[in-house]
C-alpha cells in the first residue's frame, strides 16, 4: 500500500463572519436598493461606483471606533510594497474621489453609492464581516441646508421602502454642541485641542453607552470609573460631580418640543462660542425641515445621538425604527438604528490640505431588510418560475418554445432540464422552486392541440384541507387549448390579460 496520504478535500463552508444569500434575499435587497436609488436621484444625486480596494493610506485613521489605521480592515501588501485594503465604508473612498477629481466634478458634488463593505471585526449574532451600505453625500456645501436635505431624504427613503410614519424617527444632534458642553465642563480647551484628549475620549465612549449603562453607569464612567458585575473595573475620565452634571445635563436635554430642546441646549453651552454656533445650526436645521413638512413625527432634535462623534464635525443624525420585535429568546425589544450620518468637513482635507465641507448618510440595508422581515412587510420567499415539464424527450424544442412564449408575456418560465423519466420528480422540483404553475403536454395533448396547466398553489391547499366536493368544484389542473396557455396562466396568477 502507498504511504502517501490522499489530498484533503476542502471543507464546504463559508469563512467565519460571512454568509451566503439566496433567492428572495438577493431579490429583496436589489429591489430595496433600486427604491432608495430612486429617492436619491429625485433629490438630484448621481451614482458613483468606486473600487472595493483602496490604499490603507487613503482609508486613513477615520475608521469609526478604531485607533490604528489598519485595524478593523482586511489589508495586505502588494508586490510593490504598497498596503491595500478592502474598503471599510463608502465615505473614505468618496473623500479620495473628491480630492482626485476635484477639477472635473461639479461643486457641490452630490453622489450616492451602494455596495458591500468589509470589516475585520469579531463577528456575532447578526453581525457579519461583509455587509451592504447605501450612502448619499454632498461634498462642497458649507450650509447646514445640505444636512437638512440629507435628513429629509433619509425620511423619504425609509417611507419609500415600507416604513410608515410612526414606525421611525430621525434624530438630529450636533458635535459642536457637545464640544461646547465639554468646554463648559472643563475638559476641552479651544486653544489647545490636544489638552484633555484622553478624558474627552473616555467621556465620548461613555455617553455612547448611555442606552446600555443608563445614567448611573455613565456617571461612573465619566467620574472615578465603573465596576461591572463580573468584577472588571473600567477607568473613568475623572470628572468632578459638577463637571459630570454638565455632561449628563446634555444627555438629558431633550424636551417635548424642538424649540424647548434648543433652549435647554443654549443654557448648557452658555459661555462657549463653538457650542452656541452648534445650537444655532440645530435651530436652523429644524426650521428648514419644518418648512418642508418634516415635522417632529418624522425628525426631532435629540442630544442623545452621539454616533461617531470623533468622526463628525457638525450635525449628526440617526434613523431609528421605533416598533418592537421579538428577539431570539422571545423578548420584546426596540429594533433600533438602521441609518446614520453627519457632517465631516475634515475628511477631504487629508488629501488636499484644504477644508472641504461634506455631509452624508449611510443606510444599513441588511438591517433594514431584517426589520421589514420581522414585521412581515416582506415575505422572505419569492414566487418561482412557471415550470414547463418534459413528457417526451424528442419534443424538447416544443417545450422550449412554450417557455419562450411565457417569457415574452412577462412571466418567469423555465423548462425542466433534469432527468424527465420520473414525472413525480419534476413536480417535486417545481415545488422546491416555489413554482405557482406547471405546464404539462404529452404526446396525446400535443396531438389534440391542448396543454394541461397545474395550479401548484391551489393543489397544495386542496391536498391539505379541501373536501372531495370542493376539489371537484375547483380542480387544481385544467386542460386548455394550446393558444390559450398564456392567458390561462395569467388568470391563475391573478395578473389579468
Amino acid at each position: 500500500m502507498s504511504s502517501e496520504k490522499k489530498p484533503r478535500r476542502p471543507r464546504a463552508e463559508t469563512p467565519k463572519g460571512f454568509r451566503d444569500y439566496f433567492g428572495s434575499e438577493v431579490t429583496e435587497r436589489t429591489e430595496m436598493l433600486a427604491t432608495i436609488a430612486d429617492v436619491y436621484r429625485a433629490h438630484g444625486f448621481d451614482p458613483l461606483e468606486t473600487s472595493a480596494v483602496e490604499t490603507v493610506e487613503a482609508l486613513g485613521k477615520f475608521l469609526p471606533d478604531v485607533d490604528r489605521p489598519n485595524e478593523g480592515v482586511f489589508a495586505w501588501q502588494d508586490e510593490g510594497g504598497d498596503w491595500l485594503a478592502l474598503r471599510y465604508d463608502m465615505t473614505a473612498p468618496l473623500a479620495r474621489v473628491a480630492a482626485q477629481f476635484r477639477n472635473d466634478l461639479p461643486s457641490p458634488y452630490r453622489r450616492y453609492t451602494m455596495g458591500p463593505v468589509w470589516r475585520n471585526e469579531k463577528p456575532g449574532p447578526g453581525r457579519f464581516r461583509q455587509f451592504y451600505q447605501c450612502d448619499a453625500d454632498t461634498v462642497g456645501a458649507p450650509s447646514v441646508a445640505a444636512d437638512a436635505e440629507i435628513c429629509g431624504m433619509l425620511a423619504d427613503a425609509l417611507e419609500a421602502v415600507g416604513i410608515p410614519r410612526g414606525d421611525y424617527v430621525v434624530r438630529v444632534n450636533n458635535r459642536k454642541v457637545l464640544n461646547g458642553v465639554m468646554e463648559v465642563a472643563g475638559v476641552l480647551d479651544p486653544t489647545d485641542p490636544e489638552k484633555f484628549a484622553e478624558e474627552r475620549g473616555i467621556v465620548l465612549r461613555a455617553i455612547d453607552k448611555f442606552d446600555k449603562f443608563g445614567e448611573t453607569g455613565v456617571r461612573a464612567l465619566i467620574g472615578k470609573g465603573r465596576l461591572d458585575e463580573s468584577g472588571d473595573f473600567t477607568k473613568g475620565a475623572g470628572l468632578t460631580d459638577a463637571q459630570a452634571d454638565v455632561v449628563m445635563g446634555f444627555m438629558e436635554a431633550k424636551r417635548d418640543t424642538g424649540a424647548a430642546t434648543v433652549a435647554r441646549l443654549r443654557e448648557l453651552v452658555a459661555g462657549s462660542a463653538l457650542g452656541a454656533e452648534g445650537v444655532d445650526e440645530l435651530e436652523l436645521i429644524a426650521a428648514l425641515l419644518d418648512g418642508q413638512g418634516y415635522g417632529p413625527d418624522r425628525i426631532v432634535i435629540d442630544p442623545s445621538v452621539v454616533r461617531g462623534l470623533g468622526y463628525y464635525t457638525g450635525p449628526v443624525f440617526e434613523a431609528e425604527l421605533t416598533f418592537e420585535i421579538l428577539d431570539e429568546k422571545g423578548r420584546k425589544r426596540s429594533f433600533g438604528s438602521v441609518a446614520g450620518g453627519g457632517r465631516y468637513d475634515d475628511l477631504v482635507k487629508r488629501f488636499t490640505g484644504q477644508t472641504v465641507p461634506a455631509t452624508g448618510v449611510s443606510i444599513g440595508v441588511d438591517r433594514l431588510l431584517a426589520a421589514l422581515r420581522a414585521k412581515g412587510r416582506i415575505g422572505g420567499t419569492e414566487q418561482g418560475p412557471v415550470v414547463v415539464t418534459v413528457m417526451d424527450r424528442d419534443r424538447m424544442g416544443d417545450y422550449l418554445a412554450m417557455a419562450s412564449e411565457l417569457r415574452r408575456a412577462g412571466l418567469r418560465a423555465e423548462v425542466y432540464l433534469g432527468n424527465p423519466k420520473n414525472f413525480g420528480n419534476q413536480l417535486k422540483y417545481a415545488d422546491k422552486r416555489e413554482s405557482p404553475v406547471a405546464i404539462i403536454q404529452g404526446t396525446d395533448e400535443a396531438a389534440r392541440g391542448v396543454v394541461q396547466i397545474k395550479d401548484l398553489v391551489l393543489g397544495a391547499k386542496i391536498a391539505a384541507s379541501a373536501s372531495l366536493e370542493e376539489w371537484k368544484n375547483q380542480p387544481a389542473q385544467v386542460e386548455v387549448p394550446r393558444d390559450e396557455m398564456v392567458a390561462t396562466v395569467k388568470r391563475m396568477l391573478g395578473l389579468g390579460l
Side-chain angles (χ1 to χ4, degrees):
M1 287 183 62
S2 172
S3 61
E4 292 183 10
K5 291 184 179 180
K6 291 183 178 180
R8 186 175 71 83
R9 292 174 179 167
R11 288 179 295 184
E13 62 182 16
T14 53
K16 189 175 181 181
F18 294 84
R19 59 158 298 194
D20 301 307
Y21 297 85
F22 296 90
S24 62
E25 293 178 303
V26 178
T27 303
E28 287 166 356
R29 182 202 289 139
T30 301
E31 291 174 351
M32 176 177 283
L33 290 174
T35 299
I36 296 172
D38 286 343
V39 174
Y40 289 168
R41 286 178 59 81
H43 282 260
F45 286 70
D46 288 334
L48 171 69
E49 185 174 304
T50 60
S51 167
V53 177
E54 295 281 345
T55 66
V56 167
E57 182 183 37
L59 289 177
K61 65 178 182 179
F62 286 91
L63 307 182
D65 305 319
V66 175
D67 296 326
R68 297 191 300 277
N70 58 351
E71 182 180 326
V73 299
F74 289 97
W76 65 95
Q77 195 170 21
D78 70 6
E79 293 178 354
D82 293 328
W83 278 92
L84 306 176
L86 290 173
R87 64 188 178 208
Y88 186 94
D89 64 8
M90 295 296 195
T91 312
L94 171 63
R96 190 261 304 159
V97 166
Q100 184 176 351
F101 300 100
R102 61 186 179 278
N103 295 326
D104 303 316
L105 294 172
S107 182
Y109 174 52
R110 301 146 74 86
R111 82 89 173 88
Y112 70 88
T113 189
M114 303 170 176
V117 297
W118 295 265
R119 298 192 179 180
N120 190 5
E121 299 172 339
K122 184 178 180 181
R127 185 183 180 92
F128 297 99
R129 289 170 162 175
Q130 176 181 315
F131 53 93
Y132 266 72
Q133 283 191 338
C134 179
D135 288 18
D137 296 78
T138 299
V139 179
S143 168
V144 293
D147 304 277
E149 178 185 46
I150 292 282
C151 291
M153 189 168 68
L154 174 56
D156 290 347
L158 291 174
E159 291 180 21
V161 301
I163 307 292
R165 294 181 200 183
D167 275 358
Y168 76 90
V169 63
V170 178
R171 306 183 191 277
V172 186
N173 193 6
N174 195 307
R175 172 66 195 266
K176 294 175 183 177
V177 178
L178 179 57
N179 280 349
V181 169
M182 296 281 195
E183 186 179 346
V184 173
V187 288
L188 187 147
D189 183 347
T191 64
D192 185 1
E194 295 305 313
K195 193 175 181 181
F196 307 119
E198 182 181 357
E199 291 85 349
R200 279 199 308 279
I202 295 173
V203 171
L204 284 172
R205 288 189 291 272
I207 61 179
D208 197 24
K209 294 181 171 61
F210 187 83
D211 288 343
K212 183 177 181 181
F213 294 143
E215 179 183 356
T216 303
V218 172
R219 273 190 176 274
L221 285 170
I222 65 179
K224 295 179 180 178
R226 179 178 180 272
L227 187 69
D228 66 21
E229 295 174 356
S230 68
D232 288 338
F233 181 77
T234 303
K235 179 186 174 184
L239 271 62
T240 66
D241 289 344
Q243 289 174 308
D245 286 342
V246 176
V247 175
M248 297 310 299
F250 170 77
M251 291 298 297
E252 298 164 349
K254 189 174 186 301
R255 298 294 186 263
D256 292 338
T257 67
T261 301
V262 167
R264 174 59 180 146
L265 290 174
R266 204 173 289 284
E267 292 173 356
L268 288 167
V269 300
S272 168
L274 184 62
E277 183 181 323
V279 174
D280 289 341
E281 289 180 355
L282 282 179
E283 197 167 37
L284 178 55
I285 287 174
L288 292 171
L289 289 168
D290 188 58
Q292 299 173 72
Y294 297 101
D297 59 329
R298 305 168 76 183
I299 305 176
V300 298
I301 304 300
D302 188 345
S304 68
V305 178
V306 291
R307 55 170 291 113
L309 282 173
Y311 181 90
Y312 296 111
T313 58
V316 290
F317 24 88
E318 185 170 66
E320 179 184 336
L321 302 188
T322 55
F323 55 73
E324 290 184 332
I325 61 166
L326 298 178
D327 64 15
E328 298 85 354
K329 297 182 180 179
R331 297 171 300 194
K332 286 185 177 181
R333 65 174 180 85
S334 176
F335 193 87
S337 174
V338 292
R343 179 164 287 273
Y344 50 97
D345 288 349
D346 291 339
L347 201 57
V348 181
K349 185 178 182 179
R350 298 174 48 241
F351 297 95
T352 64
Q354 299 171 328
T355 296
V356 178
T359 185
V361 67
S362 178
I363 296 177
V365 175
D366 295 313
R367 276 188 59 76
L368 197 48
L369 284 167
L372 289 169
R373 290 191 189 107
K375 291 292 284 184
R377 293 175 185 166
I378 52 177
T381 59
E382 182 181 16
Q383 188 179 72
V386 174
V387 171
V388 179
T389 60
V390 176
M391 305 296 288
D392 305 308
R393 291 175 189 261
D394 57 356
R395 294 185 53 248
M396 183 61 77
D398 292 339
Y399 299 130
L400 289 169
M402 289 182 194
S404 294
E405 186 178 340
L406 290 162
R407 286 194 288 270
R408 284 195 297 272
L411 300 167
R412 294 184 71 204
E414 65 172 79
V415 176
Y416 179 75
L417 295 177
N419 186 344
K421 187 174 182 179
N422 186 326
F423 183 70
N425 285 345
Q426 296 195 50
L427 293 183
K428 287 180 182 177
Y429 170 82
D431 285 338
K432 204 164 192 176
R433 294 282 283 125
E434 302 282 348
S435 302
V437 169
I439 306 295
I440 305 166
Q441 189 191 62
T443 304
D444 174 62
E445 285 90 0
R448 292 188 289 116
V450 299
V451 294
Q452 300 281 343
I453 303 179
K454 187 174 182 65
D455 187 330
L456 299 173
V457 177
L458 178 59
K461 291 178 180 176
I462 289 174
S465 60
S467 66
L468 177 61
E469 198 60 36
E470 288 173 323
W471 188 88
K472 288 179 179 177
N473 292 334
Q474 198 175 32
Q477 185 168 314
V478 296
E479 182 178 281
V480 300
R482 169 70 178 79
D483 59 4
E484 294 181 13
M485 175 187 70
V486 170
T488 304
V489 171
K490 282 195 166 186
R491 275 197 300 275
M492 284 183 170
L493 300 181
L495 300 175
L497 297 178

